Amino acid sequence: DGGITQSPKYLFRKEGQNVTLSCEQNLNHDAMYWYRQDPGQGLRLIYYSQIVNDFQKGDIAEGYSVSREKKESFPLTVTSAQKNPTAFYLCASSIRGRNTGELFFGEGSRLTVL
Amino acid sequence: GQQVMQIPQYQHVQEGEDFTTYCNSSTTLSNIQWYKQRPGGHPVFLIQLVKSGEVKKQKRLTFQFGEAKKNSSLHITATQTTDVGTYFCAGNQGGKLIFGQGTELSVKP
């Protein structure tokens, strides 16, 4: 079945460590996104990519980095510079560029900093 | 800054009662989307509204887009326990998708 796969589902990290969250899609979608979700808040955009080898910062990009070397993959690195990294991270994709259609979400990765 | 306000934040209803959540934007929206997130799950797309005054129905769910394209609502008739979850609107403001804070619905059987 087509879809978006995020891994790991749960991740624990010590302060000062970088961690990379994986996001893979086999929907042949051009655009991919990373969102952060905190309790009682809506989804906030971290980074997005509309095409391979290109990506743009979202509203809360500080302390995060991404790459888009393949159409199917859009990994997110949470760096030690991110001051409050504990959150639920959601990867999404859409057929075309931003905001031209529905977003398909992965199941999410829950990161806890110890 | 760009915001889409969504109210209420929480709603507790008895099974069979109706439920409504509202979204408001200070600026005109190109379109608005609605998503449902079950507890412990991920958001799932419900619908997109594009036209001024548009009304769409999906079984017991009715979605409306305001005439000025600045507000929207989701109404559920006769809630069921399967309706439990958080409902998010996401408004397109100048090419940018802005999510509301969500309304968490709980249904008491």
Side-chain angles (χ1 to χ4, degrees), chain A residues 19-97:
Chain A
V19 62
T20 298
L21 308 179
S22 170
C23 179
E24 303 279 331
Q25 55 102 355
N26 60 3
L27 300 168
N28 200 32
H29 285 174
D30 289 325
M32 296 187 75
Y33 315 78
W34 274 105
Y35 286 91
R36 170 179 171 141
Q37 185 174 30
D38 295 285
Q41 297 191 35
L43 281 65
R44 292 184 290 167
L45 183 64
I46 304 172
Y47 268 98
Y48 67 99
S49 168
Q50 298 188 72
I51 196 169
V52 174
N53 292 322
D54 187 50
F55 49 82
Q56 284 78 42
K57 292 182 179 180
D59 299 314
I60 55 167
E62 186 175 350
Y64 300 98
S65 65
V66 294
S67 63
R68 186 90 186 274
E69 297 177 2
K70 299 186 298 181
K71 187 175 184 178
E72 306 80 28
S73 179
F74 191 41
L76 173 75
T77 297
V78 185
T79 75
S80 56
Q82 168 50 235
K83 299 198 184 312
N84 186 19
T86 294
F88 188 48
Y89 292 90
L90 287 158
C91 179
S93 69
S94 63
I95 294 174
R96 297 176 293 279

Side-chain angles (χ1 to χ4, degrees), chain B residues 37-95:
Chain B
Q37 185 175 20
R38 293 183 185 275
H42 58 279
V44 175
F45 176 82
L46 294 176
I47 208 160
Q48 177 169 286
L49 305 173
V50 180
K51 299 177 182 177
S52 168
E54 189 170 13
V55 178
K56 288 189 175 181
K57 292 191 176 184
Q58 291 179 350
K59 297 183 180 179
R60 294 178 294 104
L61 277 62
T62 301
F63 304 84
Q64 294 188 350
F65 200 11
E67 293 290 340
K69 299 182 75 173
K70 289 185 176 181
N71 57 73
S72 182
S73 65
L74 158 59
H75 180 81
I76 302 178
T77 303
T79 55
Q80 300 174 358
T81 54
T82 53
D83 295 325
V84 164
T86 301
Y87 293 85
F88 291 97
C89 63
N92 187 331
Q93 293 180 344

Side-chain angles (χ1 to χ4, degrees), chain B residues 17-28:
Chain B
E17 292 181 338
D18 291 357
F19 159 76
T20 305
T21 174
Y22 301 90
C23 281
N24 289 284
S25 168
S26 57
T27 60
T28 302

